[in-house]
Amino acid sequence: MSEPDRSDGVRRPEPPLPEESGLTLDEYLEMQQAIGHKTRFRILRTLVANDELSAADLKAAVDVESHNFHYHLDELVDVGLVDKRQRRTADSRGFYTYYRPTAMGRDILEYGVEELMRREREFNDVYT
């Protein structure tokens, strides 16, 4: 619930997180900022569609310059939207690093940006 009206008539919203939240407001905002970049959005969306990909396969799928790709991928890992796993033993193709979306990465994509896109499609369907 929001606090009662103050003397100037402005209500204050409830705190956005419960006191025992596992993440801080800053951490949530960093996640939102990370997915707000077009390249990072494409990387995360591609990972969600594929569950897990090697860095080489992911880079080919999103078609981004190498230096930009790793920068954006590292940003997603740093904020907790993507997990990184390195194979411990080489196979015939060598060592590979694999990436997969975290549960938070899946949720922020599905219930954040993509939810807004779904609502826009529904709105357009109603009025066209």
Side-chain angles (χ1 to χ4, degrees):
M1 295 198 155
S2 57
E3 293 180 10
D5 286 82
R6 297 181 354 208
S7 61
D8 58 7
V10 176
R11 290 188 306 269
R12 295 181 192 196
E14 292 182 35
L17 299 170
E19 286 184 32
E20 65 278 353
S21 176
L23 297 173
T24 66
L25 177 59
D26 286 341
E27 289 169 322
Y28 278 108
L29 294 175
E30 287 171 0
M31 288 179 187
Q32 192 66 40
Q33 183 178 3
I35 196 174
H37 190 281
K38 189 176 183 179
T39 299
R40 291 189 290 266
F41 173 76
R42 287 176 38 223
I43 289 170
L44 183 58
R45 199 157 184 256
T46 301
L47 284 173
V48 168
N50 291 279
D51 292 323
E52 183 176 77
L53 290 171
S54 70
D57 289 341
L58 179 58
K59 183 183 168 302
V62 295
D63 191 30
V64 176
E65 295 291 326
S66 257
H67 67 283
N68 286 334
F69 170 75
H70 288 286
Y71 169 80
H72 291 298
L73 189 53
D74 288 345
E75 286 288 313
L76 291 169
V77 170
D78 288 347
V79 299
L81 297 177
V82 170
D83 275 335
K84 176 180 175 179
R85 164 179 85 80
Q86 186 118 24
R87 187 176 10 209
R88 292 178 185 221
T89 57
D91 66 6
S92 61
R93 298 188 321 179
F95 288 101
Y96 281 97
T97 301
Y98 288 86
Y99 295 89
R100 64 178 168 235
T102 62
M104 188 65 76
R106 288 178 186 280
D107 287 350
I108 202 168
L109 184 68
E110 181 179 350
Y111 299 110
V113 178
E114 287 191 338
E115 177 63 21
L116 292 171
M117 289 187 235
R118 275 192 295 277
R119 288 181 183 185
E120 181 178 357
R121 278 194 300 275
E122 291 169 3
F123 180 81
N124 285 339
D125 289 347
V126 169
Y127 291 101
T128 56

